[in-house]
Amino acid sequence: MRSLVWLLPSMLLAAPAAAAPPLQPGTVAPSEMLSLKVRDGEVRDTLSLLGRVAGMNVIADASVSGRISLNLDKVTFAAALGALALTAGLAVTHTEGDVYIVSKPPASGLSPLAGRVGPAGGDPKDRPVNFNVKNAELAAVIENIANQAGAQLLVKGALSDRVSGRLAGARFEDALRRLLAGTRYGFVREGDAYLIGDATPGTPTSRALEETESFALAYTAAKSVSKLIPASLTQYVKIDEARNAVVVSGTELLRNQVKKLLSRIDAPLKQVVFEVKIIELTDTGSRDLNALRLVQNGSTVSADAENGTALSAAGQLADSSSLGVLNGVARVLEVVSGLVSEGKGRLLTDTKLSTVSGQKAALDVQTDINLTLTTQSTVNSATTNTTTINTLRAGTVVELEPTVQADSNVLAVLNLESSVAGARANTNTAPDISRRKVRNTLLLKNNQTIEIGGLIQSNNTENVTRIPIVGYLPLIGQLFSNTSVSVDQRELLVFITPRIRDVQPWPDTQLPLAPVR
């Protein structure tokens, strides 16, 4: 340990604790302890003596002046120099040549910095800096922290803004980024130097501050990003569909703003699997199901032949212990499946549709009905036959577009169409097509089954029987004929169950939001 002792004002004496060989600059270990006692001494002389005793290169420029009193015991050189600089309101710059330059900060409203003298190694962007200012010139604050970090600085134009605040132990680049945030200025690093200037698009310096960066997306289609980001940013963004990436050109502040927004947009998707069953019950099957529902609800059912048959069939499908839970959709589906097995209905669709939140899933099972139409045309006494084929379609079409909400419920838009073609006499005759359409907006819980019913279709068939010969005579033929009308009713039941699945990539395969540098 070495000691510095003040004996008289304005007189400096250095007294090593023990005989030792002459000190060489830079030979003192960073952890070696020193003691320093100063009373009303010249700051420049105190700095000079501290450098000689510690064996370090300390230079005080012409701006350093004033007097100081200190009493430090067993501290490191870095702590002693930092305390002296803080007390005297000085700034310390540690150069790559292991030289400590002490200077007076420019008059800018800066309060004394709690300067921390650290090792010269490492990248300047990672070196810790401090500032504690009130209504100070932005240019002066940036110059000060650049001096602390030993960063090379080039400022284009005047940084006219003023700033107040304090920050301790922050990385130089982080501090610089926070100081410039919310201003029209930006920065870019070129080699070892930082270029700062007006980043307003169209200004001469903005082009020098701009860089281009590509952000790959893991879950979201890049082509949809342009609809999600604010209009003020779209001019800086281009879409690379082939690589599912977003390319951003602009200052670092703007690129970071887009990157932060993309990290929120590019979230894992929710996959929804819909289990869809579509069943068509005959008139008898529909009456059987309705009778069983009436019994479950405690209603009185008349014992006529028609309802009696329905109750008999219903009783075979569900014993008395199960009637109490018939209002559960799962039980209804079980009863309907029993009716299908008895030939009182038919299963039109039993499928699963998979999609992701916000995207449409569709099922199209239809039959093409081709109509052959022949037309004749005569031109210059020549007759030409033209044959065309028109196509009608009949069958089942299901479309579902889900949106998974924050509470894990599913908001789904359902479009359903079921159509049946009637008989036709020949290929040139168009059949009648009966259609049933449903458009609903459903709010479902995960794994919840819902039933959509009441889609009843009636087919009226007229049968005419006539007595041969006389039944076809004009006027009196109706007296020898009989007309009967039969009605065939069928009910369509739709059962839908959504199941939510999380879509996650395999471990270690997620694409990075930012390219590896």
Side-chain angles (χ1 to χ4, degrees):
M1 181 184 72
R2 294 174 174 82
S3 62
L4 298 175
V5 182
W6 270 102
L7 295 182
L8 294 174
S10 303
M11 182 181 296
L12 289 172
L13 294 178
L23 294 172
Q24 298 297 324
T27 59
V28 176
S31 59
E32 186 169 349
M33 311 303 289
L34 302 169
S35 294
L36 177 63
K37 295 182 180 180
V38 179
R39 185 174 59 193
D40 195 28
E42 289 284 348
V43 174
R44 297 178 62 86
D45 293 339
T46 304
L47 289 170
S48 177
L49 181 59
L50 176 60
R52 290 201 304 271
V53 173
M56 306 301 291
N57 298 307
V58 179
I59 300 175
D61 72 5
S63 64
V64 177
S65 62
R67 308 184 73 83
I68 191 170
S69 296
L70 292 176
N71 188 358
L72 301 175
D73 186 41
K74 297 180 180 179
V75 296
T76 63
F77 165 74
L81 183 58
L84 194 156
L86 175 61
T87 305
L90 302 174
V92 179
T93 302
H94 190 184
T95 69
E96 298 294 338
D98 209 23
V99 175
Y100 296 88
I101 301 176
V102 184
S103 60
K104 188 74 173 179
S108 59
L110 295 174
S111 59
L113 294 170
R116 186 186 338 184
V117 181
D123 196 312
K125 71 182 180 67
D126 296 321
R127 293 176 187 166
V129 296
N130 312 274
F131 65 82
N132 183 1
V133 298
K134 183 177 182 180
N135 196 30
E137 293 180 2
L138 180 61
V141 179
I142 291 177
E143 180 182 353
N144 198 301
I145 63 173
N147 289 338
Q148 295 180 51
Q152 301 184 58
L153 197 64
L154 181 60
V155 179
K156 292 283 190 176
L159 306 183
S160 58
D161 289 22
R162 304 188 75 85
V163 63
S164 296
R166 59 176 179 266
L167 201 62
R171 295 172 62 250
F172 169 68
E173 270 198 13
D174 291 341
L176 181 60
R177 187 175 293 110
R178 294 171 188 175
L179 284 169
L180 296 178
T183 71
R184 67 178 186 274
Y185 307 110
F187 78 90
V188 64
R189 183 174 182 178
E190 297 181 352
D192 295 332
Y194 287 85
L195 173 63
I196 300 176
D198 191 342
T200 305
T203 59
T205 56
S206 65
R207 291 187 290 273
L209 298 173
E210 290 178 357
E211 287 186 348
T212 299
E213 212 169 340
S214 177
F215 302 108
L217 304 180
Y219 307 103
T220 306
K223 62 182 179 181
S224 65
V225 169
S226 57
K227 301 177 182 178
L228 302 175
I229 63 176
S232 59
L233 297 178
T234 54
Q235 58 181 318
Y236 308 106
V237 173
K238 293 183 179 180
I239 304 303
D240 184 355
E241 291 190 28
R243 297 169 181 80
N244 197 44
V246 177
V247 181
V248 185
S249 298
T251 64
E252 184 187 35
L253 186 62
L254 184 142
R255 298 195 308 274
N256 287 337
Q257 184 179 356
V258 175
K259 179 181 178 180
K260 185 177 181 180
L261 179 60
L262 291 177
S263 65
R264 296 177 180 176
I265 294 175
D266 193 34
L269 299 176
K270 296 287 187 179
Q271 184 179 29
V272 183
V273 179
F274 287 99
E275 296 179 1
V276 182
K277 291 181 183 291
I278 302 178
I279 298 172
E280 185 182 58
L281 295 179
T282 63
D283 187 24
T284 303
S286 179
R287 284 187 282 108
D288 285 354
L289 181 62
N290 290 333
L292 188 55
R293 282 175 169 156
L294 289 173
V295 173
Q296 185 272 333
N297 291 329
S299 302
T300 301
V301 181
S302 61
D304 56 28
E306 183 176 294
N307 284 332
T309 302
L311 285 173
S312 174
Q316 297 175 9
L317 295 172
D319 58 27
S320 58
S321 63
S322 67
L323 294 179
V325 294
L326 179 61
N327 56 342
V329 178
R331 181 58 180 159
V332 173
L333 184 56
E334 180 182 349
V335 172
V336 170
S337 298
L339 292 170
V340 172
S341 66
E342 289 196 350
K344 298 180 180 179
R346 63 185 181 124
L347 183 64
L348 298 182
T349 300
D350 184 4
T351 187
K352 293 182 180 180
L353 297 177
S354 296
T355 184
V356 294
S357 180
Q359 300 296 321
K360 185 182 296 185
L363 169 71
D364 189 338
V365 182
Q366 297 190 86
T367 300
D368 290 342
I369 304 170
N370 296 320
L371 304 176
T372 304
L373 303 178
T374 302
T375 58
Q376 289 185 345
S377 59
T378 302
V379 178
N380 298 328
S381 300
T383 301
T384 303
N385 292 329
T386 304
T387 301
T388 59
I389 297 178
N390 293 338
T391 301
L392 302 177
R393 306 195 75 191
T396 302
V397 178
V398 180
E399 291 184 352
L400 281 161
E401 185 174 350
T403 301
V404 180
Q405 300 181 326
D407 57 2
S408 295
N409 288 335
V410 179
L411 183 68
V413 177
L414 168 67
N415 286 305
L416 171 66
E417 178 181 326
S418 179
S419 55
V420 179
R424 56 177 178 163
N426 52 63
T427 57
N428 290 319
T429 303
D432 294 330
I433 298 179
S434 300
R435 299 184 187 275
R436 284 170 285 185
K437 294 183 178 182
V438 175
R439 179 180 174 85
N440 276 350
T441 300
L442 312 172
L443 183 60
L444 307 172
K445 293 182 179 179
N446 186 25
N447 299 319
Q448 175 191 5
T449 301
I450 67 160
E451 172 195 2
I452 300 174
L455 303 174
I456 299 175
Q457 174 182 306
S458 297
N459 293 323
N460 298 329
T461 304
E462 185 177 280
N463 296 316
V464 180
T465 56
R466 303 174 187 270
I467 296 176
I469 301 176
V470 293
Y472 294 92
L473 294 176
L475 300 178
I476 63 173
Q478 294 182 355
L479 300 175
F480 301 96
S481 63
N482 180 52
T483 301
S484 61
V485 178
S486 62
V487 179
D488 180 23
Q489 286 190 341
R490 295 178 179 272
E491 180 179 5
L492 201 66
L493 299 176
V494 181
F495 298 90
I496 299 176
T497 306
R499 305 192 190 279
I500 300 175
R501 302 286 186 267
D502 286 332
V503 179
Q504 296 286 357
W506 290 100
D508 302 325
T509 60
Q510 180 179 351
L511 293 176
L513 185 60
V516 179
R517 295 184 180 275

